[in-house]
Amino acid sequence: MLKKRIIVCLDVKDGRTTKGVKFLNNADIGDPVEMAEEYYRQGVDELVFYDIMASARGRGPILDLIARVASKVFIPFCVGGGISTIEDIRSTILAGAEKVSLNSQAVKNPALIQEGASIFGSQCIVLGMDVARDSSKPSGYGIFINGGRVDTGLDALEWAVKAVSLGAGEIVVNSIDADGTKAGYEIPLTKMISNAVCVPVIASGGAGKVEHLEDVFHAGNASAALIASMVHSKQYTIGGIKKQLEERGIPVRHNFQEDIV
């Protein structure tokens, strides 16, 4: 079995890390650069930064913050929020990110996935999917954009398959229903997407304890688990999570370097 990745997500609003529940009632929880450095020290495999207001406000990526984080951490680092053009992708990568997450803008302009993958490689293009239960959709789930504020009418499974065909090299499946609840990942959703595409799928939304990660790796067939509240609350450390996962038979990376030598 391939080693599973643990990824910490930092939602950023007005230059500060924020956390909410089901995309609502966000509270300021700290400085994103300091938090990124601490999670790197703890042994996180990757970091994801989402500027949660960029698309809604119609502005581009926060390049100064990206550069500050990139100078402190030496692991894969993905950035999302406000990336709407090839030039935005280029400037984000030049600022220090290894990957970009396309979410709202990918829905509005699917050709951005294809062009981005063609120029920078599929490994740089991550599809971010904000998904909520919707019984009217064939898969039972719909796609939302602009920080979960706008229902696109798209079916989640159909959109995932299309995005991969366009060149997305990875998918983050973020459950709006589970986000911040600490009640567990949306396992049926993660499994459905994982089984339908040939690229790594990252489960996001709902992690509250190590058993939730174990469940999404086994039952959800996820390649990686994105966490936030678990470590932001200081209830867990990255090392502690990895130790418990290993005890449960889940192969994890002890550090990023060991897997690339």
Side-chain angles (χ1 to χ4, degrees), residues 8 31 38 42-43 47 69 121 131 136 147 156 166 186 197 202 212 230 233 241 246 248 253 259:
V8 168
D31 177 80
E38 172 59 20
Q42 289 184 20
L47 288 167
V69 172
V131 185
S136 72
L166 290 171
E186 186 84 359
V197 299
I202 301 167
H212 293 153
M230 284 178 72
S233 66
I241 292 170
E246 223 168 21
R248 289 168 164 80
R253 301 177 179 185
D259 287 340

Side-chain angles (χ1 to χ4, degrees), residues 45-236:
D45 298 311
E46 299 185 21
L47 288 167
V48 175
F49 269 56
Y50 292 134
D51 184 338
I52 63 172
M53 296 303 295
S55 291
R57 292 175 176 172
R59 58 170 169 74
I62 40 179
L63 299 178
D64 58 335
L65 180 59
I66 296 166
R68 288 165 59 208
V69 172
S71 72
K72 299 291 186 180
V73 304
F74 304 95
I75 52 175
F77 171 37
C78 180
V79 173
I83 299 172
S84 60
T85 66
I86 290 299
E87 186 51 44
D88 286 337
I89 297 175
R90 180 178 288 107
S91 60
T92 299
I93 293 172
L94 288 175
E98 282 78 20
K99 308 175 185 179
V100 297
S101 176
L102 304 178
N103 189 322
S104 300
Q105 296 302 328
V107 170
K108 296 172 184 176
N109 179 22
L112 184 63
I113 301 173
Q114 190 169 32
E115 191 175 356
S118 175
I119 295 172
F120 303 103
S122 289
Q123 79 284 351
C124 290
I125 307 300
V126 179
L127 176 71
M129 293 173 50
D130 291 335
V131 185
R133 298 183 197 116
D134 183 345
S135 60
S136 72
K137 299 294 187 295
S139 70
Y141 295 92
I143 295 291
F144 287 72
I145 59 172
N146 290 359
R149 298 172 185 83
V150 177
D151 184 350
T152 67
L154 292 173
D155 178 77
L157 180 59
E158 183 180 341
W159 174 229
V161 171
K162 178 179 178 180
V164 171
S165 74
L166 290 171
E170 196 167 64
I171 297 177
V172 176
V173 181
N174 187 37
S175 168
I176 296 174
D177 301 296
D179 178 69
T181 64
K182 300 185 184 180
Y185 294 96
E186 186 84 359
I187 300 292
L189 169 64
T190 307
K191 182 178 181 180
M192 177 178 64
I193 301 297
S194 295
N195 290 346
V197 299
C198 58
V199 300
V201 170
I202 301 167
S204 173
K209 55 185 179 180
V210 174
E211 288 82 358
H212 293 153
L213 279 75
E214 180 185 12
D215 288 345
V216 85
F217 286 141
H218 277 315
N221 199 27
S223 298
L226 189 148
I227 60 176
S229 301
M230 284 178 72
V231 286
H232 293 345
S233 66
K234 297 183 169 56
Q235 183 180 2
Y236 291 91

